[in-house]
Amino acid sequence: MSEHGISNLSREDRVFEPPAELAAQANVTADVYDRAAQDRLGFWADAAHRLTWGTDFEEVLDWTNPPFARWFVGGRLNVAYNCVDRHVEAGRGDKVAIHFVGEPGDTRDLTYAELKDEVSKAANAITELGVQAGDRIAIYMPMIPEAVIAMLASARVGAVHTVVFGGFSSDALASRVEDCEAKLVITADGGYRRGKPSSLKPAVDEALAKLGDASPVEHVLVVRRTGRSEEGDEVDVTEGRDVWWHDVVDAASTEHAYTEFDSEHPLFVMYTSGTTGKPKGILHTSAGYLTQAAYTFWATFDHKDDDVYWCTADVGWITGHSYITYGPTANGATQVLYEGTPDTPHKGRWWEIIADKKVSLFYTAPTAIRTCMKWGEQIPAEHDLSSLRVLGTVGESINPEAYVWYRENIGGGSAPIVDTWWQTETGAHMITPLPGVTAAKPGSAMTAFPGVSAEVVDDAGEPVGNGEGGYLVITEPWPSMLRTIWGDDDRYVDTYWSRFKAQGYYFAGDGAKKDDDGAIWLLGRVDDVMNVSGHRLSTTEIESALVSHPKVAEAAVVGAADETTGQAVCAFVILRESAGDGGEDVVAELRNHVGKEIGPIAKPRQVMVVPELPKTRSGKIMRRLLRDVAENREVGDATTLADSSVMDLITAGMSGAKADDD
Ligand code: PRX
């Protein structure tokens, strides 16, 4: 570690050099940046050739019809073969692929040979259930090995999975099943969370009942995990539609003859929040996605064959796709998969698992680090974390205090931290330090990954100078880029490629600045999207959920700074006259309503019942002013309001109580 000029510079000027030993043996060294800059497509072609192809590609990139990219044109491969079989064929079948740790304490190790058998059996079973290449499968699972197996089985038969986060409600599940017309739902009776069973299957039943005759679902494949529902009941089974995993998968053959698919064969759709209410189905395809997920995993975490890796994300988010299911397995890595929460049964659970499994590469989110900071450094100090050699973060900028805490208390003061900027849409890491190369600054994602062209531009699309801020854009296509929004090419073009159309840049929706050395610092979203605990939530979506409650006439939602979650959801609502003052429990009622409509993660931290909302003459809600209120600041310039007395009314009329944590 070297700290330059610590005495006369602010804390944020600290720089952490890569440890010499790591740098000397790093997978990626500084010259790779030069090589990629000189021949970007050649660099990605080499990365693609780390995969095993049935038919090699003829062309690296076809960009003749922008922004619709085709990568590795003419090539054919099977994604699941690359993630599983080829390691067994190379004689590494006995290597552990997954160390599963259940929340109640049950454990299960799956070797690559066992994973191959499980994926093959699941592939045979879903084929029996009528799934063919191109069909969509919705996966709604707890964090158990079957979630990864289901995704890989889907990939193996060329189906398209859409994983819906298990914390989402039945309504969210229904809208996703409907949008992508899923034929099969793979779920579990439930999982364990916070020490007790948490049901999933009833939400599937509810979602399909809601879709009624319009439901595209033919079968529901159910893993038995908890055996009982939250209430201790038997799980309901719908005759003819529902089948148990242990009946059909366990009985299936371990031999499955896979076929190879075109490079651009669809692999999955991942729904994410946009600025309008309707979630966007981000489409990723096979070879380009796998190339970048696999290569970045190897490069960013400096993965070596004897490493034990752990990513704490859920498979229901893009991080779980690229850095649990696909990237690590494509590299034949050993990883931990943990079902539960970090504080069950005690707040040292994560550190206990790291010590037990000798985890060497650890990937988590700043919000989790802040929570652990709150709990205190005495908790990790009780465990032997000396196996850790590279730490990662993702989801939002990490505050320098949290970075330094993470480095000191988890990384033993020496493990480099990779602050990885990327998105559901980008599929894989785009801006990040490399642990053997970069002298990293706490709070900065530093520089574009080799082969990725990122820039910070002004309103006119011109690059800003060092020390200046602007919009983050990607100026050239990259292998794991989204290909479109499921069923909506126009929205794809409009959302990502219209802001800097003349230049042909992808606009990520984030603000950023370049510091005096040209390092990139992310400044958050420039649109109406919030970032709560590293997850994107759309203000519009939550507003629509609030307005769907019979007592609510109008709602405005803003993200307010929050010490733990980064941003927190704050809602301002105007009640309908018929609702009177809403009643004593109106705040709890509305919070629960949002929880039901979208999921607990979207529940507002605060609901404030107000008589008016601040609007411009054209009727646009001035969220900036509401944010001032939510963050307890002096309210800013309100002169463009149609009625300038509104802010006084709001400040005076706030009746919202701060909600309990849950
Ligand atoms: O605002 C950026 C933030 O998360 C957004 C992408 O969210 P999502 O698609 O849900 O994917 C999250 C996991 C990849 C980005 O537009 N973000 C993500 N990583 C970082 C970040 N902001 C700052 N620093 C990061 N390392």
Side-chain angles (χ1 to χ4, degrees):
M1 177 179 105
S2 76
E3 295 184 0
H4 302 304
I6 191 82
S7 53
N8 58 1
L9 294 173
S10 66
R11 295 181 56 149
E12 281 76 8
D13 286 318
R14 275 183 278 197
V15 174
F16 296 105
E17 300 286 346
E21 201 187 325
L22 193 154
Q25 294 171 39
N27 288 348
V28 173
T29 46
D31 53 301
V32 174
Y33 285 97
D34 301 333
R35 149 109 177 87
Q38 278 156 20
D39 179 11
R40 197 172 56 86
L41 296 183
F43 165 80
W44 284 122
D46 288 351
H49 282 134
R50 296 176 73 248
L51 302 177
T52 306
W53 294 78
T55 308
D56 200 1
F57 48 91
E58 287 150 16
E59 192 187 357
V60 181
L61 168 67
D62 173 5
W63 191 237
T64 53
N65 181 29
F68 298 94
R70 292 166 69 222
W71 279 86
F72 309 121
V73 183
R76 295 180 72 82
L77 51 63
N78 186 287
V79 168
Y81 171 85
N82 271 280
C83 294
V84 184
D85 304 43
R86 64 172 177 153
H87 310 307
V88 181
E89 286 175 14
R92 290 141 44 85
D94 290 340
K95 185 174 176 183
V96 172
I98 296 174
H99 286 299
F100 171 65
V101 181
E103 202 192 68
D106 54 322
T107 59
R108 178 180 168 201
D109 284 352
L110 272 165
T111 64
Y112 273 95
E114 288 164 339
L115 186 61
K116 174 173 178 278
D117 286 352
E118 293 305 315
V119 171
S120 302
K121 288 194 299 190
N124 281 321
I126 61 178
T127 305
E128 273 298 298
L129 291 173
V131 172
Q132 294 178 352
D135 287 345
R136 272 79 63 203
I137 301 178
I139 299 177
Y140 186 61
M141 297 273 262
M143 282 291 285
I144 55 176
E146 285 80 1
V148 175
I149 294 165
M151 291 165 81
L152 291 170
S154 168
R156 192 172 182 101
V157 303
V160 183
H161 60 67
T162 185
V163 184
V164 181
F165 173 52
F168 278 152
S169 66
S170 60
D171 287 353
L173 175 64
S175 70
R176 286 155 174 79
V177 163
E178 188 178 32
D179 187 69
C180 73
E181 297 170 275
K183 201 167 171 181
L184 174 70
V185 177
I186 307 182
T187 188
D189 47 4
Y192 290 96
R193 276 197 95 67
R194 302 186 198 287
K196 49 180 203 282
S198 162
S199 295
L200 281 173
K201 176 64 167 46
V204 176
D205 294 337
E206 240 176 79
L208 300 189
K210 193 176 164 217
L211 294 175
D213 290 343
S215 168
V217 174
E218 291 170 10
H219 289 288
V220 180
L221 177 56
V222 192
V223 176
R224 179 181 282 158
R225 167 70 183 141
T226 56
R228 298 264 161 180
S229 75
E230 276 163 42
E231 292 75 31
D233 302 331
E234 285 284 346
V235 174
D236 285 337
V237 173
T238 303
E239 204 66 43
R241 187 196 71 184
D242 300 353
V243 286
W244 285 105
W245 180 282
H246 56 257
D247 286 337
V248 298
V249 176
D250 288 359
S253 163
T254 56
E255 296 299 317
H256 178 264
Y258 64 89
T259 47
E260 270 132 6
F261 296 97
D262 186 87
S263 290
E264 286 297 336
H265 188 76
L267 180 63
F268 66 85
V269 175
M270 174 88 241
Y271 286 86
T272 186
S273 299
T275 47
T276 71
K278 190 171 175 254
K280 300 177 287 200
I282 303 299
L283 175 68
H284 284 287
T285 59
S286 300
Y289 170 78
L290 191 63
T291 292
Q292 197 170 334
Y295 184 81
T296 51
F297 173 78
W298 178 78
T300 306
F301 300 116
D302 189 46
H303 174 258
K304 302 280 201 275
D305 198 38
D306 57 357
D307 274 315
V308 178
Y309 164 82
W310 182 14
C311 166
T312 65
D314 191 283
V315 288
W317 307 109
I318 191 70
T319 306
H321 283 56
S322 305
Y323 299 105
I324 295 177
T325 302
Y326 293 110
T329 58
N331 283 279
T334 295
Q335 67 178 317
V336 169
L337 188 77
Y338 174 56
E339 180 184 30
T341 47
D343 53 349
T344 308
H346 57 79
K347 294 189 168 111
R349 188 74 194 266
W350 276 8
W351 321 124
E352 183 180 83
I353 293 172
I354 289 175
D356 182 40
K357 304 292 180 202
K358 307 229 167 355
V359 172
S360 52
L361 315 173
F362 184 62
Y363 195 27
T364 192
T367 181
I369 298 164
R370 288 191 298 266
T371 301
C372 295
M373 271 173 81
K374 232 170 32 187
W375 292 342
E377 62 221 37
Q378 73 286 357
I379 294 175
E382 283 169 18
H383 303 272
D384 176 10
L385 305 180
S386 60
S387 53
L388 288 169
R389 61 179 201 93
V390 178
L391 305 176
T393 66
V394 58
E396 59 178 305
S397 295
I398 177 161
N399 340 59
E401 307 82 71
Y403 183 107
V404 171
W405 187 92
Y406 191 30
R407 189 182 154 91
E408 291 302 318
N409 296 287
I410 308 303
S414 62
I417 296 175
V418 287
D419 172 356
T420 60
W421 179 90
W422 59 295
Q423 307 177 294
T424 304
E425 292 86 344
T426 71
H429 299 161
M430 298 293 281
I431 303 176
T432 178
L434 292 181
V437 181
T438 317
K441 305 179 187 186
S444 170
M446 299 303 297
T447 47
F449 192 86
V452 171
S453 314
E455 190 48 273
V456 182
V457 299
D458 62 18
D459 259 326
E462 291 298 322
V464 302
N466 286 355
E468 289 171 32
Y471 304 96
L472 179 69
V473 294
I474 309 297
T475 63
E476 299 286 348
W478 63 102
S480 63
M481 64 193 281
L482 76 167
R483 297 304 194 261
T484 191
I485 292 174
W486 184 257
D488 203 343
D489 286 349
D490 290 345
R491 192 175 175 198
Y492 166 63
V493 175
D494 199 52
T495 308
Y496 302 108
W497 301 92
S498 64
R499 179 69 182 78
F500 298 103
K501 189 165 184 259
Q503 296 81 1
Y505 293 165
Y506 168 85
F507 176 45
D510 282 356
K513 69 167 187 191
K514 289 197 266 188
D515 70 12
D516 292 340
D517 304 320
I520 297 173
W521 297 69
L522 276 304
L523 302 175
R525 305 286 306 179
V526 298
D527 52 23
D528 285 335
V529 176
M530 287 171 290
N531 190 325
V532 179
S533 297
H535 301 307
R536 266 190 312 175
L537 298 173
S538 127
T539 51
T540 325
E541 216 175 335
I542 301 175
E543 285 165 4
S544 308
L546 284 164
V547 174
S548 74
H549 189 283
K551 287 185 183 169
V552 176
E554 248 190 294
V557 164
V558 296
D562 184 278
E563 245 179 45
T564 306
T565 57
Q567 280 191 310
V569 181
C570 293
F572 296 81
V573 296
I574 303 177
L575 297 179
R576 293 184 192 212
E577 273 182 25
S578 57
D581 69 356
E584 223 176 280
D585 296 329
V586 67
V587 168
E589 200 177 323
L590 295 181
R591 290 186 70 241
N592 289 336
H593 180 69
V594 174
K596 187 187 163 294
E597 291 287 307
I598 305 174
I601 195 172
K603 276 190 183 179
R605 180 186 73 184
Q606 277 163 292
V607 176
M608 301 176 214
V609 178
V610 293
E612 275 310 332
L613 288 170
K615 287 186 187 155
T616 61
R617 279 171 197 86
S618 64
K620 231 177 138 223
I621 293 173
M622 297 271 291
R623 289 167 206 284
R624 176 170 59 74
L625 301 178
L626 293 176
R627 222 170 280 132
D628 289 342
V629 175
E631 295 180 343
N632 292 321
R633 259 196 313 270
E634 181 113 2
V635 174
D637 181 8
T639 48
T640 54
L641 285 182
D643 172 0
S644 59
S645 64
V646 163
M647 285 318 293
D648 300 335
L649 271 178
I650 289 182
T651 320
M654 269 182 354
S655 67
K658 197 166 179 217
D660 297 335
D661 275 341
D662 57 345

